[in-house]
């Protein structure tokens, strides 16, 4: 009898002292295994008198259960400790830099174009694309340019042949759109323009413009001013003030040069005006019933103003240092 | 154009200082770029728009200020000449080129200097004083806007003036010392025998006035805008006179200017004018009359302007306004005013556009938003940015380059009279721009070089010019050059990365699989180049740049790229059908490891597999490729993984075996594949 008690005490002690799951496994085999001590105790039952056998059997089984539970608990404890130790050993320097993920970006002109398109789309303007390789008729004749006039001197042009040229202004789209539609309509276009100019910080032979126009009954300079203010507020933020100054573009009358109050100063943004009635009539639109406005501005200019860029050349140089800032 | 303020004040008594005048003029459409100081006091530097040639003079600016400040305008005074005593015969052969020609004679010419006040004004206006006669012609041009020319009358053969087009073989040395051979389109001033001036542009040296000149013929003429522009351009000669004639000169002011010049000459003692004038005016100016409706003015400007204000504003600008319906006679110096809307602008700009209120347009409209192409281009950008590429924008003009493949790009489209050789034609490919951007950044030690562009390319087609949108990308060298982990740092762009990008792009755009087959583009590595096909049609190319081409461009690392027709991609995008229900049954995965000849293109394997697939194969792909020992030379082992699943049942082992057996047999039959025992 005492032998069983001693055995259990010994086993409990050994389980408690087992320092690893391996040592615990050995202890388990020693006491609970098929060749273990408790099994030996059970076998010894055969030598006892019949009436004592059940009592001893019950005690041995109870001891087995008890030790099994102790071992399980101890195993869980040791397992946690060992796993903790293993994870501790797997520690890395979390302060090292992460693996660089390739991070792409939009070109600032695309990002600016996208913003302008969202704003104008919200104001009900539908974007239409026109060709960069235009014809003289759309780029100049349909826009009311007088034959061989000094107005052309401000539109130095790359010609491909006698009638085809690289558009000097996205306004070239107006005739293309207006001959196919009846008012009312609100149209915008955004794209690349070309002028025969030497490149410096404020001039480039290639640049981008957004051009916006609408035709409806009763459109006046007031509608132009209100729309410009809405557009400028959305593009530049806050409540901007718009100022009109007379200017000359053959396709608008009255012609306007518009500026916004930016950083306490008037900043000229582009040209605008009411669409010249001759252009409407040329597109088969009754200029007595309908009138329209048009305005345009440089996409580069928008970005330059918003981000304080002073050199136009940066936009087509593709220096990653510049592109990644935007 | 520079004009001293005190000269302007001679004709309109504006009290405001130069800065205030500059502001007022600018806000009325005559932009004063700056005000400067001079010996003649403050000078306004006015930028006159091409439609307002009438403002290229002291009187023109004074007239504007008189309207803006509601002050009276006076005119330069001079005793009028007599048309009854024409001093010289004048013949005009082409009146459409020269509607009016006036000439006066000045006798007893003395080579004196002009007075200090005149020299100071000329200097302030940016003109060099030369001698009294020439100075007076310049002075009156600045004052009244009418260009004048002084001939040495004694050198005019036959003592007469003939205005005509150039004849073959004629030549003339102009005042700048250049011998010129005018073309038959050009208008000349001639004497009885030969050309003596290019009309409206520049005089000739042979009849130039000098210290020995005794009698001077003063020309004050009106030449047509187109004629002078044609001459100035074809001679490459642009002068103060041609600048004004190309814009506006008042045909009615011709004689007044001649008289003003003669009066000044007499006043400063440089000669004695004959009282007569030869004034030949074959094409008389006919004033145009317009009606202006004040209601229309208000409707266009967006604010109410009274009838009286419309009439008053126009009158101050020199328009005659009659009757309650406002009939307006346009003055001879305003040919730019042609219809009612021009008068609306005149009224608006004099009142000032600050009065225009702000209003948002009301009423129906079309639906707003981006164009289909605009939206698609943005999707292209978003996909490529999303996998870590940086967008670039390069320009469309470039010199001929090996980086364009004439066979895929068509015939080059040159620019006529290009700025420079570097900008002599239109791009046929986006590759040159990408390579240049990559090389510039590589030179500056900047990376990683993973760039793309969306833009138009051009070429000359059979009967027309083509402009097509493309999308192209370029990757050069390591994709993470700054990583501290070696394996990340050393991972470099290769052909399969470019091919994978194309497949990713197609996948994201909802385009059917893009097929690649060996290509022949000479810009690319001969063993690593592919044509991209979409539905059997050419879509573009993918490949590694030819090392020679790459070296020439200044790129040291392996560089891969692709370029695709964006229009074709757009047309093929989003063709997927509706979603299918997900099968609730277990999938079965099986691999096949065929051993094939190394030179057998994978496309053959793909074709064989696709032939043998049944609908229970949910997905398949190449998941490993092995070459080298222990495989025999010239062979490689592929691992093809298959996932099988039926929508309506659990697949039986027999079905799976049947499918895999069919695949295996197909590979054996059409690819000569063997399988390890």
């Amino acid at each position: 009898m005492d032998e069983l008690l001693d055995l259990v005490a010994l086993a409990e002690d050994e389980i408690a002292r087992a320092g690893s799951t391996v040592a615990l496994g050995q202890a388990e085999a020693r006491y609970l295994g098929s060749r273990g001590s408790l099994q030996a105790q059970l076998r010894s039952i055969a030598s006892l008198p019949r009436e004592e056998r059940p009592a001893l059997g019950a005690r041995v089984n109870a001891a087995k259960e008890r030790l099994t539970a102790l071992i399980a608990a101890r195993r869980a404890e040791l397992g946690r400790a060992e796993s903790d130790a293993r994870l501790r050993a797997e520690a890395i320097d979390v302060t090292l830099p992460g693996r660089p993920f390739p991070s792409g970006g939009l070109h600032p002109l695309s990002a600016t174009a996208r913003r302008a398109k969202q704003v104008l789309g919200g104001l009900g303007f539908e974007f239409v694309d026109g060709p960069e390789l235009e014809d003289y008729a759309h780029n100049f004749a349909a826009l009311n340019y007088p034959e061989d006039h000094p107005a052309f001197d401000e539109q130095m042009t790359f010609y491909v042949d006698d009638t085809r040229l690289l558009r000097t202004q996205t306004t070239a789209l107006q005739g293309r759109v207006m001959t196919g539609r009846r008012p009312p309509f609100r149209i915008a276009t955004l794209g690349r323009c070309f002028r025969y100019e030497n490149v410096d910080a404020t001039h480039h032979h290639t640049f981008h413009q957004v051009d916006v126009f609408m035709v409806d009954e009763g459109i006046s300079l007031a509608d132009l001013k209100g729309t410009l203010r809405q557009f400028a507020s959305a593009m530049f933020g806050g409540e901007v003030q718009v100022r009109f100054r007379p200017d000359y573009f053959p396709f608008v009358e009255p012609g306007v040069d518009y500026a916004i109050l930016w950083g306490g100063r008037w900043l000229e943004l582009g040209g605008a005006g009411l669409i010249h009635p001759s252009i409407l009539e040329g597109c088969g639109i009754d200029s007595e019933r309908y009138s329209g406005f048009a305005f345009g501005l440089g996409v580069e200019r928008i970005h330059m103003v918003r981000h304080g860029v002073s050199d136009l050349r940066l936009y087509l140089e593709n220096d990653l240092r510049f592109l990644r800032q935007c | 154009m520079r004009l001293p303020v005190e000269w302007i004040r001679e004709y309109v008594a504006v009290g405001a200082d130069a800065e205030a005048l500059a502001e007022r003029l600018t806000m009325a459409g005559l932009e004063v770029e700056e005000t400067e100081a001079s010996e003649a006091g403050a000078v306004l530097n006015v930028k006159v728009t091409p439609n307002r040639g009438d403002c290229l003079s002291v009187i023109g600016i004074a007239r504007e200020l008189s309207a803006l400040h509601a002050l009276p305008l006076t005119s330069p005074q001079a005793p009028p000449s007599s048309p009854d005593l024409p001093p010289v015969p004048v013949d005009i052969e082409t009146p459409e080129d020269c509607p009016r020609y006036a000439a006066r004679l000045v006798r007893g010419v003395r080579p004196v200097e002009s007075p200090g006040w005149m020299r100071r004004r000329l200097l302030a206006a940016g003109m060099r004083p030369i001698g009294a006669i020439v100075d007076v012609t310049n002075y009156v041009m600045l004052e009244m806007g009418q260009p004048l020319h002084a001939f040495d009358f004694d050198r005019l053969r036959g003592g007469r003036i003939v205005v005509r087009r150039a004849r073959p073989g004629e030549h003339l040395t102009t005042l700048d010392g250049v011998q010129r051979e005018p073309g038959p389109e050009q208008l000349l001033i001639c004497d009885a025998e030969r050309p003596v001036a290019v009309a409206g542009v520049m005089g000739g040296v042979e009849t130039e006035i000098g210290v020995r000149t005794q009698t001077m013929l003063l020309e004050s003429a009106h030449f047509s805008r187109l004629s002078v522009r044609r001459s100035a351009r074809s001679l490459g000669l642009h002068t103060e006179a041609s600048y004004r004639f190309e814009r506006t000169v008042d045909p009615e002011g011709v004689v007044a200017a001649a008289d003003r010049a003669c009066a000044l000459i007499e006043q400063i003692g440089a000669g004695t004018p004959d009282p007569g004038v030869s004034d030949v005016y074959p094409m008389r100016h006919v004033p145009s009359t317009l009606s202006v409706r004040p209601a229309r003015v208000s409707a266009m400007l967006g604010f109410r302007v009274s009838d009286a204000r419309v009439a008053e504003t126009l009158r101050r600008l020199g328009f005659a306004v009659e009757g309650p319906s406002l009939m307006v006679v346009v003055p001879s110096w305003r040919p730019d005013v042609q219809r009612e809307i021009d008068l609306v602008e005149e009224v608006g700009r004099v009142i000032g556009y600050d009065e225009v209120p702000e209003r948002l347009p009301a009423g129906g409209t079309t639906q707003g938003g981006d164009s289909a192409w605009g939206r698609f281009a943005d999707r292209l950008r978003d996909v490529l940015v999303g996998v870590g590429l940086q967008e670039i924008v390069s320009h469309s003009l470039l010199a001929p380059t090996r980086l364009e493949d004439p066979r895929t790009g068509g015939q080059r489209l040159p620019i006529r009279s290009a700025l420079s050789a570097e900008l002599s034609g239109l791009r046929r490919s986006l590759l040159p721009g990408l390579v240049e951007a990559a090389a510039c950044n590589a030179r500056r030690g900047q990376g990683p070089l993973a760039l793309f562009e969306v833009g138009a390319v051009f070429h000359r087609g059979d009967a027309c010019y083509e402009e097509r949108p493309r999308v192209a990308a370029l990757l050069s060298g390591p994709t993470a050059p700054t990583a501290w982990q070696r394996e990340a740092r050393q991972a470099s762009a290769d052909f399969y990365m470019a091919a994978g990008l194309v497949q990713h792009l197609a996948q994201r755009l909802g385009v059917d699989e893009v097929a690649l087959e060996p290509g022949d583009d000479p810009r690319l590595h001969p063993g690593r180049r592919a044509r991209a096909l979409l539905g059997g049609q050419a879509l573009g190319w993918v490949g590694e740049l030819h090392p020679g081409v790459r070296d020439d461009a200044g790129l040291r690392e392996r560089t891969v790229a692709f370029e695709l027709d964006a229009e074709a991609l757009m047309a093929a995008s989003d063709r997927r059908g509706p979603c299918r229900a997900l099968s609730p049954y277990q999938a079965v995965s099986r691999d096949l490891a065929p051993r094939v000849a190394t030179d057998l293109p994978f496309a053959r394997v793909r074709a064989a597999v696709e032939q043998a697939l049944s609908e229970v194969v949910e997905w398949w792909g190449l998941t490993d490729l092995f070459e080298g020992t222990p495989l025999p030379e010239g062979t490689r082992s592929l691992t093809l993984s298959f996932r099988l699943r039926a929508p309506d049942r659990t697949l039986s082992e027999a079905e799976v075996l049947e499918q895999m057996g069919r695949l295996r047999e197909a590979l054996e039959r059409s690819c000569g594949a063997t399988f390890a025992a």
Side-chain angles (χ1 to χ4, degrees):
Chain A
M1 298 296 279
D2 288 348
E3 202 181 341
L4 183 60
L5 279 177
D6 290 348
L7 201 57
V8 168
L10 211 58
E12 283 179 357
D13 185 50
E14 213 168 308
I15 288 164
R17 281 190 295 105
S20 68
T21 48
V22 175
L24 186 66
Q26 288 163 356
E28 186 177 23
R30 194 149 47 242
Y31 295 102
L32 296 175
S34 54
R35 291 161 193 270
S37 317
L38 285 178
Q39 209 57 37
Q41 286 284 319
L42 273 182
R43 278 194 295 276
S44 73
I45 288 177
S47 63
L48 286 180
R50 186 168 296 270
E51 62 280 11
E52 290 177 18
R53 285 180 190 175
L56 183 63
R59 283 188 61 213
V60 170
N61 279 333
K64 261 171 105 173
E65 267 169 42
R66 175 172 166 70
L67 289 182
T68 303
L70 280 174
I71 285 168
R74 181 66 182 149
R75 178 169 282 129
E77 197 179 322
L78 285 171
R80 262 196 309 279
E82 281 170 15
S83 143
D84 285 353
R86 198 168 54 242
L87 294 181
R88 264 196 304 280
E90 283 172 3
I92 54 167
D93 180 356
V94 297
T95 66
L96 279 170
R99 187 174 307 177
F101 239 76
S103 59
L106 287 178
H107 189 280
L109 291 177
S110 287
T112 307
R114 197 172 278 196
R115 194 181 167 91
K117 285 180 169 190
Q118 276 164 0
V119 170
L120 289 166
L123 288 169
F125 288 89
E126 174 196 346
F127 274 80
V128 178
D129 300 305
E132 292 173 18
L133 192 57
E134 255 298 358
D135 47 46
Y136 179 89
H138 286 104
N139 198 82
F140 290 123
L143 293 179
N144 205 36
Y145 275 75
E147 183 202 352
D148 204 8
H149 191 267
F152 289 99
D153 296 349
E154 296 175 1
Q155 303 264 319
M156 301 295 283
T157 309
F158 289 108
Y159 281 93
V160 168
D161 61 25
D162 287 346
T163 60
R164 298 276 262 174
L165 48 85
L166 295 175
R167 67 176 171 196
T168 59
Q169 46 199 358
T170 44
T171 319
L173 185 81
Q174 275 186 21
R176 287 184 178 272
V177 168
M178 287 201 286
T179 44
R181 298 190 191 220
R182 296 299 92 188
F185 49 72
R186 302 183 186 196
I187 306 291
T189 190
L190 189 150
R192 177 168 287 197
C193 304
F194 305 82
R195 287 187 198 169
Y196 200 113
E197 297 213 50
N198 287 312
V199 174
D200 63 29
T202 55
H203 297 87
H204 208 293
H205 53 69
T206 300
F207 57 98
H208 299 79
Q209 267 187 347
V210 55
D211 204 86
V212 181
F213 59 97
M214 74 169 292
V215 177
D216 201 348
E217 291 178 12
I219 294 296
S220 73
L221 284 183
D223 299 293
L224 171 61
K225 213 175 196 177
T227 304
L228 270 172
R229 191 175 77 133
Q230 196 79 12
F231 175 66
S233 289
M235 288 307 289
F236 299 102
E239 279 295 295
V240 301
Q241 247 178 291
V242 177
R243 189 190 74 178
F244 278 5
R245 187 169 77 67
D247 202 349
Y248 169 70
F249 306 97
F251 39 92
V252 280
E253 191 79 28
V256 164
D257 164 296
Y258 64 95
I260 58 163
L261 196 57
W262 180 259
R265 297 175 58 176
W266 289 109
L267 184 83
E268 287 175 9
L269 282 186
L274 296 184
I275 298 174
H276 200 289
S278 305
I279 294 178
L280 297 178
E281 289 153 17
C283 297
I285 295 170
D286 178 357
S287 68
E288 276 293 307
R289 180 172 171 198
Y290 293 106
S291 53
F293 68 66
F295 68 89
L297 74 164
V299 180
E300 286 87 347
R301 180 94 173 126
I302 299 174
H303 188 269
M304 289 171 96
V305 170
R306 280 172 50 86
H307 297 271
V309 177
S310 58
D311 192 337
L312 184 62
R313 288 169 292 202
L314 285 168
Y315 293 93
L316 297 179
E317 270 172 9
N318 295 310
D319 189 316
L320 288 171
R321 288 172 297 175
F322 177 65
L323 300 183
R324 287 197 182 124
Q325 288 179 51
C326 302
Chain B
M1 180 189 59
R2 291 181 164 79
L3 294 176
V5 172
E6 54 96 11
W7 195 353
I8 298 167
R9 288 209 177 99
E10 206 174 310
Y11 299 106
V12 60
V14 279
D17 67 13
E19 290 298 333
L21 293 178
E23 171 70 11
R24 191 70 188 89
L25 285 168
T26 298
M27 291 308 290
L30 286 156
E31 188 188 351
V32 179
E33 293 186 302
E34 55 192 339
T35 56
E36 298 159 8
S38 79
E39 280 191 45
V43 172
L44 301 180
N45 186 355
V46 192
K47 188 178 159 194
V48 179
T49 52
N51 59 326
R52 291 302 304 277
D54 66 296
C55 286
L56 290 168
S57 64
V58 171
I59 287 298
I61 300 293
R63 187 186 297 120
E64 286 286 308
L65 286 171
S66 101
L68 295 172
H69 290 263
L71 290 166
L73 176 73
T74 56
S75 324
Q77 294 304 307
S81 50
S82 166
D84 302 331
L85 304 164
V88 289
V90 173
D91 292 327
I92 301 175
E93 290 187 3
T94 51
E96 66 278 11
D97 294 336
C98 176
R100 188 175 194 182
Y101 193 101
R104 288 192 64 176
L105 285 188
V106 176
R107 301 184 193 277
V109 170
R110 296 197 302 128
V112 294
E113 276 203 339
S114 47
W117 58 267
M118 185 179 283
R119 288 207 306 272
R120 278 193 295 278
R121 284 180 172 181
L122 288 172
L123 281 167
M127 296 192 120
R128 195 163 52 90
I130 293 164
I133 298 288
V134 173
D135 291 355
V136 165
T137 60
N138 285 331
Y139 185 87
V140 173
M141 175 181 72
L142 289 170
E143 190 172 66
M144 304 178 72
Q146 169 69 53
L148 301 172
H149 184 67
F151 293 100
D152 185 331
F153 181 66
D154 299 321
R155 299 197 197 184
L156 286 177
R157 296 178 191 163
R160 61 188 301 127
I161 291 290
V162 180
V163 185
R164 60 168 170 81
R165 298 263 180 112
R167 291 174 184 152
E170 278 187 326
H171 52 81
L172 165 69
T173 302
T174 41
L175 284 175
D176 54 4
V178 179
Q179 176 159 339
R180 307 197 178 256
E181 283 177 34
E185 292 283 284
Q186 281 171 32
L187 189 68
L188 301 176
I189 308 301
C190 306
D191 59 18
E193 297 171 13
R194 59 187 175 151
V196 293
V198 180
V201 182
M202 192 179 270
V205 285
E206 288 182 41
T207 52
E208 185 182 8
I209 59 161
V211 286
R212 283 198 283 276
T213 301
Q214 293 181 334
T215 306
M216 181 267 277
L217 181 144
L218 182 73
E219 166 196 290
S220 180
H222 191 72
F223 301 112
S224 88
R225 180 173 83 63
L226 290 175
S227 158
V228 173
R229 189 167 165 83
R230 203 160 52 220
S231 290
R233 192 173 35 208
S234 66
L235 296 175
L237 193 57
H238 299 273
T239 61
E240 292 279 343
S242 69
Y243 188 81
R244 284 172 172 77
F245 279 122
E246 281 183 47
R247 286 159 177 80
T248 307
V249 172
D250 179 7
E252 296 288 287
V254 163
V255 172
D259 294 352
R260 170 71 173 159
C262 286
L264 284 171
I265 286 167
E266 190 157 37
Q267 182 191 326
I268 66 181
T272 311
D274 263 15
V277 61
S278 304
D279 178 15
V280 182
Y281 198 179
M283 283 182 58
R284 213 157 255 290
H285 170 76
V286 182
S288 63
T289 303
L290 304 171
S291 89
V292 59
R293 295 162 292 174
R296 183 76 175 169
V297 174
S298 302
M300 294 291 100
L301 295 178
F303 62 95
R304 163 123 181 82
V305 188
S306 70
D307 297 20
R309 204 170 177 196
V310 170
E312 177 55 25
T313 307
L314 292 174
R315 270 195 202 100
R316 278 202 224 126
L317 286 167
F319 293 80
V321 185
E322 294 149 14
S325 64
L326 300 194
M327 293 305 293
V328 172
V329 183
V330 179
S332 54
W333 60 84
R334 289 303 302 274
D336 60 303
V337 175
Q338 293 169 350
R339 46 189 300 178
E340 186 184 36
I341 194 71
D342 299 317
L343 296 168
V344 170
E345 179 177 69
E346 290 304 299
V347 173
R349 71 180 184 85
V350 169
I351 291 175
Y353 288 149
D354 283 350
E355 291 206 22
V356 175
E358 286 171 9
R359 187 171 69 204
L360 277 182
T365 179
T366 36
Q367 190 180 343
D370 204 352
S371 64
W373 160 249
R375 289 195 304 270
F376 185 76
D378 268 352
R379 280 176 72 190
L380 290 173
R381 292 187 183 101
D382 285 342
V383 172
L384 294 170
V385 165
V387 291
L389 272 64
Q390 170 64 49
E391 187 187 16
I392 66 157
V393 173
S394 51
H395 62 73
S396 326
L397 300 166
L398 78 175
T401 160
R402 282 171 77 192
L403 289 169
E404 291 187 312
D405 177 13
R407 289 166 311 161
T408 57
Q411 211 185 336
R412 178 175 148 89
L413 191 50
I415 296 291
R416 210 168 58 176
S417 58
L419 267 179
S420 66
E422 285 76 47
L423 307 174
S424 61
L426 287 165
R427 64 183 177 189
R428 281 172 292 174
S429 165
L430 299 179
L431 184 64
L434 285 164
V435 166
E436 196 196 327
C440 285
N441 281 294
R443 271 199 299 281
R444 297 177 185 130
Q446 287 154 202
L449 298 171
L451 311 173
F452 77 95
E453 181 164 15
V454 179
V457 299
F458 306 83
H459 71 270
R460 195 201 298 254
D462 290 338
C464 57
Y465 303 128
E466 296 272 1
E467 175 180 341
R468 305 268 293 181
R470 294 246 183 104
V471 53
L474 175 146
L475 298 105
S476 181
T479 49
T482 58
W484 56 271
Q485 289 169 302
R486 184 170 303 138
E487 64 277 21
R489 188 170 62 239
Q490 288 174 344
S492 180
D494 63 7
F495 176 88
Y496 296 112
M497 185 177 268
L501 261 179
V502 168
Q503 279 147 8
H504 174 73
L505 190 60
Q507 157 76 23
R508 292 294 311 276
L509 296 170
V511 169
D512 292 340
E513 189 147 344
V514 172
L516 300 183
E517 60 174 43
D520 56 0
D521 192 322
R523 298 173 291 181
L524 303 177
H525 186 304
R528 298 175 181 175
R529 57 189 178 188
R531 259 191 298 274
L533 302 168
L534 183 59
Q537 297 290 309
L539 177 68
W541 54 267
V542 187
E544 182 177 321
L545 282 201
H546 193 291
V549 171
R550 193 197 68 205
D551 280 347
D552 287 353
L555 284 171
R556 279 191 308 210
E557 307 271 3
R558 181 164 65 198
T559 301
V560 296
F562 71 78
E563 181 164 18
L564 307 175
D565 180 338
E567 217 163 65
L569 279 177
M570 181 161 116
S573 65
D574 297 326
R575 289 242 189 98
R576 292 211 181 102
C579 283
R580 272 176 301 191
L582 304 182
S583 167
Y585 300 94
Q586 277 280 328
V588 179
S589 292
R590 289 285 187 275
D591 284 355
L592 279 179
R595 193 176 291 177
V596 294
T598 306
D599 58 9
L600 180 88
F602 182 73
R604 292 267 305 278
V605 174
R606 190 203 324 267
V609 167
E610 274 166 6
Q611 278 274 308
L613 286 181
S614 78
E615 69 215 14
V616 299
V617 177
E618 184 178 76
W619 171 88
W620 78 278
L622 173 72
T623 52
D624 195 19
L625 187 153
F626 180 81
E627 286 175 62
T629 44
L631 293 180
E633 193 143 316
T635 64
R636 58 186 184 182
S637 167
L638 311 175
T639 304
L640 306 175
S641 299
F642 298 83
R643 190 166 65 232
L644 300 84
R645 194 195 319 250
D648 53 352
R649 63 188 190 280
T650 303
L651 288 176
S652 68
E653 185 61 22
E655 279 178 288
V656 173
L657 282 175
E658 197 270 332
Q659 170 69 79
M660 296 315 290
R662 209 136 36 81
L663 285 163
R664 187 175 160 137
E665 194 208 327
L667 288 165
E668 285 167 346
R669 193 178 56 239
S670 44
C671 301
T674 58
F675 290 85

